[in-house]
Amino acid sequence: ISESVAAGARFPLESAQDPDVGINSLQTYQLSANPNFALDVQTRVDGSKYAELVLEKELDREEQRELNLVLTALDGGSPPRSAHVQIHIDVVDANDNAPVFNQSTYKASVRENTPSGTLVAKISAYDLDDGPNGDIVYSFSSHTPAKVRELFALDSATGELRVKGQLDYEETKLYEIYLQAKDKGAVPGVAHCKVLVEVVDVNDNAPEVTVTSVYSPVPEDAAPGTVVALLSVTDLDSHDNGLVNCFISPGIPFMLSSSLKNYYTLKTEGALDREKAAEYNITITAKDSGSPPFPAHSGTAQITVQVLDVNDNAPTFDHTTYRVKVPENTPVGAVLLRVNASDPDEGPNGETQYS
């Protein structure tokens, strides 16, 4: 009897036979106590008795797979005589249970750049029905975006969710994946769950240095703290992987300062002297604070700063004193001596005139 049969259904039973007549013949039937069936004894036109099982409470295979009843036939003799027969009822499964997930939401975390095939989560559902009605197939919900299907694969038999494509934290930090479990019944039952997959950042991006302004040339008499260049740094990674520090090579009269996160100012730190260094090629290096910092993930930028000459040097003669002997009778206009003076300054500042 199917568990889907409604209450009130009747099932005729085979009649007992008694060759006696009158009161000594078959008079009634009795049924052993049970929670589902009652017995209805009917009388035919010829006076013979027969019985029908009447379903009073619907069957539930998941609660009880089978029932064993005892039907007793009684005559009216004194003393009465009886006969017994076993009634074995198999409760046939109906697809009256939908699959059920053991939790409605699963949470998992996976590092970006994780190799394909890595297990992310395993979902699990059960179905109390029997046979195909209880066999479960897992799949993505119909409204799952194509991008999710490209990045993740779901085993329809085991419920294992694995990495399929290339995960990128900088592109998407969290995926909300809707999955379903469906049984194989003629009218399948369906259950739904979601998996929240957090993508964990990996230090896979190098900092980038962008020079926004350069003020060059710089006068050699510029005061310490004079702004030479403005620059910014970016790193697509997060947390410490995206925390960037900038520095320049030591031993040069410049410094970096920062008043806002990821924004830096290149300033003069000491006195400049064009006569010692007319140009500086400054390398700005940015490194993140990842653990460990990616060796290849340091960004650099080159800034060329020219030093503008200031007339800060006086001409100097080759000698402080010149001595010359002049013969008498030397004609007017004769060259007696050539003196030489030099000025390390540049351009007009370094041109000398004699008087």
Side-chain angles (χ1 to χ4, degrees):
I1 301 175
S2 172
E3 63 176 330
S4 63
V5 172
R10 290 174 170 267
F11 304 91
L13 299 176
E14 184 178 351
S15 298
Q17 304 297 321
D18 189 336
D20 292 325
V21 296
I23 193 66
N24 293 328
S25 65
L26 175 66
Q27 297 298 311
T28 190
Y29 294 91
Q30 293 179 352
L31 185 67
S32 58
N34 70 91
N36 298 95
F37 292 94
L39 191 67
D40 185 15
V41 179
Q42 301 282 336
T43 303
R44 298 186 180 93
V45 176
D46 62 1
S48 62
K49 309 286 185 180
Y50 70 94
E52 292 181 341
L53 280 179
V54 180
L55 183 64
E56 291 192 327
K57 178 185 177 184
E58 292 180 350
L59 300 172
D60 187 345
R61 189 204 63 85
E62 290 71 44
E63 198 174 283
Q64 191 171 9
R65 292 173 175 265
E66 60 182 26
L67 290 88
N68 288 295
L69 309 179
V70 177
L71 179 66
T72 302
L74 297 166
D75 64 20
S78 180
R81 307 192 75 168
S82 61
H84 307 281
V85 67
Q86 297 283 338
I87 301 176
H88 178 81
I89 299 174
D90 284 317
V91 182
V92 179
D93 184 55
N95 195 16
D96 58 345
N97 290 280
V100 178
F101 280 102
N102 55 15
Q103 56 192 87
S104 59
T105 302
Y106 296 80
K107 293 183 179 180
S109 60
V110 60
R111 291 164 63 89
E112 63 174 332
N113 303 331
T114 294
S116 178
T118 300
L119 180 65
V120 177
K122 183 176 181 179
I123 61 173
S124 180
Y126 62 90
D127 191 319
L128 296 175
D129 292 322
D130 197 23
N133 294 333
D135 292 339
I136 293 176
V137 176
Y138 299 99
S139 63
F140 289 102
S141 294
S142 58
H143 57 271
T144 302
K147 181 65 176 177
V148 171
R149 297 173 188 262
E150 293 172 4
L151 294 175
F152 298 94
L154 180 66
D155 190 305
S156 61
T158 65
E160 291 179 343
L161 183 69
R162 295 182 180 273
V163 175
K164 178 181 176 183
Q166 189 77 15
L167 298 178
D168 188 349
Y169 172 89
E170 288 71 41
E171 184 178 320
T172 306
K173 299 174 178 58
L174 180 70
Y175 290 94
E176 191 170 3
I177 306 173
Y178 289 88
L179 306 176
Q180 66 182 21
K182 184 183 291 187
D183 63 39
K184 296 180 179 179
V187 181
V190 182
H192 300 273
C193 76
K194 67 179 177 181
V195 181
L196 299 177
V197 180
E198 179 188 11
V199 181
V200 179
D201 184 47
V202 172
N203 194 12
D204 59 345
N205 289 281
E208 294 184 2
V209 182
T210 303
V211 179
T212 55
S213 299
V214 177
Y215 307 103
S216 178
V218 179
E220 61 179 325
D221 62 350
T226 299
V227 175
V228 176
L230 301 176
L231 52 110
S232 63
V233 293
T234 56
D235 192 318
L236 295 177
D237 294 318
S238 65
H239 308 301
D240 287 346
N241 294 335
L243 185 61
V244 179
N245 292 308
C246 282
F247 57 90
I248 58 176
S249 303
I252 58 175
F254 297 92
M255 61 175 289
L256 278 176
S257 64
S258 177
S259 56
L260 292 173
K261 182 181 179 182
N262 295 337
Y263 289 89
Y264 289 84
T265 303
L266 179 67
K267 301 177 181 179
T268 58
E269 185 177 32
L272 302 178
D273 189 343
R274 190 207 64 82
E275 288 70 44
K276 290 183 179 179
E279 185 178 275
Y280 292 91
N281 289 312
I282 304 172
T283 300
I284 312 292
T285 302
K287 285 189 176 180
D288 60 42
S289 301
S291 180
F294 221 99
H297 290 169
S298 59
T300 60
Q302 294 286 336
I303 297 177
T304 300
V305 178
Q306 295 177 335
V307 181
L308 182 65
D309 183 59
V310 173
N311 195 15
D312 57 346
N313 292 282
T316 58
F317 284 98
D318 293 344
H319 305 283
T320 56
T321 302
Y322 293 87
R323 293 181 182 276
V324 61
K325 292 180 180 181
V326 182
E328 61 179 334
N329 302 324
T330 298
V332 175
V335 175
L336 303 179
L337 174 70
R338 288 187 183 277
V339 296
N340 183 57
S342 61
D343 191 323
D345 290 323
E346 189 179 35
N349 295 333
E351 295 177 1
T352 56
Q353 294 181 344
Y354 300 91
S355 61

